[in-house]
Amino acid sequence: MASPIEQFEIKPIVSLGKIGGSEIAFTNSALFMVAAVAIIALLFVYGTRNRSLVPGRLQALAEMGYEFVANTVRDSAGHDGMKFVPLVFSLFMFVLVCNLLGMIPGSFTVTSHLVVTAALAAIVILTVIIYGIAKHGAHFFGLFVPKGVHPLMLIILVPIEVISFVSRPISLSVRLFANLLAGHIALKIFAGFVATLLFAGGWAILSPLPLVLTIALIALEFLVAVLQAYVFAVLTCIYLHDALHPGH
């Protein structure tokens, strides 16, 4: 049985040369990221090209996706947060499509790599910091100073608030990465059990057991793929709310 870790290996497809002794290449990870962006672009460009009053399937799907994200932003970040709908929508769709592409047998799961999820989390947290400071100036740092607290307590609470803020991109990236990584490893292991038992002589009668678990895991992985994209979008909205309203 092949190692369940092999599916996460980044492999070069086209070498683009070397910079400082390090090879620069177009990899399978880059290929699936480009594919995800292409699928999203085709869906919304082709689906909304006519914009008829009675929408077709693709137009309805595109409108439902946009309305879903817009309502999520409105509920989590308030009316002022609607200016961030393009950002949240882009992140949500990218994570969702990458997660679903990873469910195709033999494909590559982009979001199972921490470097990718960390880059997405960095976009979110940098947006919060840059917009918060640009909009509110020094008042943005009131985010770390709870109101109505005795000054002596601030010695304890301010470091806690700073650590909590710094941990946000870490938790945002690790949550997505860990869920996709663990789920795909479990799926690979149980699928391997099915193949092993089928060719194990008398033990073949037991092969339906891991097969049933594999089918259940596939259903669970599809749920996780959608749910994690939604969680990423919701947490992004909550963090953006702090940039809009930094006061406690």
Side-chain angles (χ1 to χ4, degrees), residues 127-178:
T127 301
V128 171
I129 294 172
I130 293 172
Y131 181 85
I133 294 177
K135 179 73 174 179
H136 304 285
H139 180 64
F140 171 73
F141 297 101
L143 181 67
F144 309 120
V145 183
K147 292 182 179 179
V149 177
H150 193 279
L152 291 178
M153 291 297 297
L154 293 178
I155 300 174
I156 300 174
L157 293 179
V158 169
I160 292 176
E161 292 290 341
V162 172
I163 293 172
S164 174
F165 184 83
V166 172
S167 67
R168 288 179 175 182
I170 299 174
S171 63
L172 191 61
S173 59
V174 171
R175 180 184 292 105
L176 177 58
F177 145 77

Side-chain angles (χ1 to χ4, degrees), residues 10-18 23-31:
I10 296 179
K11 300 176 181 178
I13 298 175
V14 179
S15 179
L16 303 177
K18 292 187 177 182
E23 183 181 5
I24 306 299
F26 185 78
T27 65
N28 54 347
S29 178
L31 175 63

Side-chain angles (χ1 to χ4, degrees), residues 48-229:
T48 59
R49 73 191 189 285
N50 294 325
R51 286 176 288 183
S52 59
L53 186 61
V54 180
R57 291 186 180 90
L58 284 180
Q59 183 180 339
L61 181 62
E63 291 177 355
M64 285 174 58
Y66 177 82
E67 285 297 325
F68 175 76
V69 175
N71 290 333
T72 300
V73 175
R74 189 181 296 108
D75 294 340
S76 301
H79 182 73
D80 293 340
M82 295 302 291
K83 60 174 67 71
F84 292 111
V85 168
L87 171 64
V88 180
F89 179 77
S90 299
L91 290 172
F92 172 76
M93 291 304 303
F94 180 76
V95 173
L96 176 63
V97 175
C98 285
N99 290 353
L100 294 177
L101 281 177
M103 293 301 300
I104 300 174
S107 65
F108 184 84
T109 310
V110 173
T111 44
S112 65
H113 282 262
L114 185 58
V115 66
V116 175
T117 59
L120 297 177
I123 292 173
V124 174
I125 206 67
L126 287 175
T127 301
V128 171
I129 294 172
I130 293 172
Y131 181 85
I133 294 177
K135 179 73 174 179
H136 304 285
H139 180 64
F140 171 73
F141 297 101
L143 181 67
F144 309 120
V145 183
K147 292 182 179 179
V149 177
H150 193 279
L152 291 178
M153 291 297 297
L154 293 178
I155 300 174
I156 300 174
L157 293 179
V158 169
I160 292 176
E161 292 290 341
V162 172
I163 293 172
S164 174
F165 184 83
V166 172
S167 67
R168 288 179 175 182
I170 299 174
S171 63
L172 191 61
S173 59
V174 171
R175 180 184 292 105
L176 177 58
F177 145 77
N179 276 279
L180 272 295
L181 181 73
H184 280 65
I185 288 177
L187 188 59
K188 178 75 171 181
I189 291 174
F190 279 102
F193 284 162
V194 176
T196 301
L197 290 174
L198 281 175
F199 297 99
W203 293 100
I205 193 174
L206 297 177
S207 60
L209 296 178
L211 177 60
V212 171
L213 288 175
T214 301
I215 294 173
L217 276 175
I218 291 174
L220 179 62
E221 278 299 287
F222 273 107
L223 176 62
V224 169
V226 177
L227 184 61
Q228 286 303 312

